[in-house]
């Protein structure tokens, strides 16, 4: 079983809709969580960190569920420019390594 | 501008011909890392370095070498490339004492014939 798992998609969503996807992690000792965004053939870039109480950044909301060991990303009022692959990243604070999910591809359609 | 640079961006080579992909960061980060990205497999770490002269294997180190003689540079060396090393490679750096954001270079698309 992979340490960090994501549904690869693609999720095809009409513009303006709300979309959410999850990422599960296997190591209960994981302490830090992030979502990165990767555009086609470009480098990943940090979208947002995920805090225990959940956090919001504009149209994006990230949630952490420690009991079920998953994090989620919700995008409201989706835009064409949101089309990308979203990578879930987990870090165990006992070491410096980041564990990367394979990504969920999102396609926003006009 | 804070950035990670990689060169070359694209490379087509033949089996067995030694090559080096350079990586440089201007953010004074201690931590640097190399990844390869293949369809369906996500980012897999090849090697990482916690500081100058300190390097360690990641998940897929076979067939690769690295060095960290200076803080800003972290080249990736393929002594004898093979077709299964055809991939998209990313260099990354991170400040271990500050935030958790990892900064990536623009990527190097390598094809080994």
């Amino acid at each position: 079983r992979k340490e960090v798992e994501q549904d690869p998609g693609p999720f095809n969503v009409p513009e303006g809709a709300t979309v959410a996807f999850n990422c599960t992690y296997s190591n209960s000792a994981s302490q830090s969580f992030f979502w990165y965004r990767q555009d086609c053939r470009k480098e990943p870039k940090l979208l947002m960190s995920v805090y225990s109480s959940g956090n919001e950044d504009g149209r994006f909301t990230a949630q952490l569920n420690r009991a079920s060991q998953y994090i989620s990303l919700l995008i409201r009022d989706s835009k064409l420019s949101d089309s990308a692959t979203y990578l879930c990243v987990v870090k165990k604070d006992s070491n410096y390594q980041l564990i990367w999910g394979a990504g969920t591809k999102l396609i926003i359609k006009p | 501008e804070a950035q990670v640079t990689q060169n070359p961006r694209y490379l087509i080579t033949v089996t067995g011909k030694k090559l080096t992909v350079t990586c440089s960061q201007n953010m004074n980060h201690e931590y640097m890392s190399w990844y390869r990205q293949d369809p369906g497999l996500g980012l897999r770490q090849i090697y990482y370095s916690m500081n100058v002269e300190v390097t360690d294997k990641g998940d897929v180190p076979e067939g690769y070498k690295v060095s960290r003689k200076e803080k800003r540079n972290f080249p990736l060396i393929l002594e004898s490339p093979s077709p299964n090393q055809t991939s998209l490679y990313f260099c990354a750096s991170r400040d271990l004492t500050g935030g958790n954001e990892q900064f990536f270079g623009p990527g190097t698309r390598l094809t080994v014939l």
Side-chain angles (χ1 to χ4, degrees):
Chain A
R1 184 187 170 190
K2 292 180 184 176
E3 285 194 71
V4 177
E5 293 203 68
Q6 296 182 251
D7 183 337
F11 285 49
N12 291 285
V13 174
E15 191 176 9
T18 295
V19 59
F21 29 84
N22 292 341
C23 160
T24 58
Y25 60 95
S26 60
N27 192 322
S28 59
S30 301
Q31 293 296 321
S32 303
F33 308 89
F34 312 91
W35 284 104
Y36 276 69
R37 172 196 167 123
Q38 185 176 23
D39 294 309
C40 187
R41 298 192 178 124
K42 297 287 186 78
E43 70 274 25
K45 293 183 180 177
L46 180 66
L47 177 66
M48 58 198 301
S49 301
V50 185
Y51 301 120
S52 296
S53 55
N55 48 298
E56 194 173 297
D57 183 1
R59 298 181 294 107
F60 297 82
T61 300
Q63 299 266 348
L64 167 63
N65 185 316
R66 285 192 186 275
S68 300
Q69 293 184 204
Y70 73 86
I71 66 172
S72 63
L73 179 67
L74 180 111
I75 306 174
R76 288 181 300 278
D77 187 23
S78 53
K79 313 288 185 194
L80 296 176
S81 57
D82 294 334
S83 297
T85 296
Y86 291 84
L87 304 171
C88 170
V89 188
V90 171
K91 180 164 78 86
K92 293 173 284 188
D93 282 345
S94 59
N95 67 46
Y96 295 104
Q97 297 306 88
L98 299 177
I99 312 299
W100 295 78
T104 296
K105 186 170 184 177
L106 176 64
I107 300 171
I108 306 297
K109 302 200 165 187
Chain B
E1 181 192 355
Q3 61 182 351
V4 180
T5 56
Q6 290 178 233
N7 280 292
R9 295 288 314 280
Y10 302 91
L11 180 60
I12 300 174
T13 189
V14 295
T15 298
K17 187 176 181 183
K18 181 180 178 179
L19 66 92
T20 300
V21 184
T22 63
C23 172
S24 183
Q25 51 95 4
N26 62 2
M27 296 168 278
N28 202 37
H29 288 165
E30 302 91 349
Y31 185 95
M32 296 186 75
S33 181
W34 274 103
Y35 295 88
R36 61 178 288 173
Q37 188 174 37
D38 303 288
L41 296 177
L43 284 166
R44 293 183 292 167
Q45 191 177 51
I46 302 169
Y47 269 94
Y48 65 96
S49 170
M50 302 283 278
N51 215 325
V52 175
E53 301 293 358
V54 180
T55 63
D56 213 340
K57 296 178 180 178
D59 299 317
V60 288
E62 294 78 21
Y64 304 94
K65 285 173 59 177
V66 292
S67 68
R68 189 91 181 272
K69 295 189 174 71
E70 305 163 284
K71 198 171 187 179
R72 62 182 294 126
N73 295 325
F74 190 45
L76 179 70
I77 303 152
L78 285 72
E79 294 270 4
S80 183
S82 62
N84 65 11
Q85 292 178 299
T86 292
S87 188
L88 177 58
Y89 291 86
F90 288 105
C91 180
S93 74
R94 182 153 54 100
D95 177 3
L96 291 178
T97 58
N100 291 292
E101 183 173 2
Q102 183 150 281
F103 295 85
F104 285 84
T108 295
R109 188 165 290 278
L110 173 66
T111 301
V112 183
L113 302 174

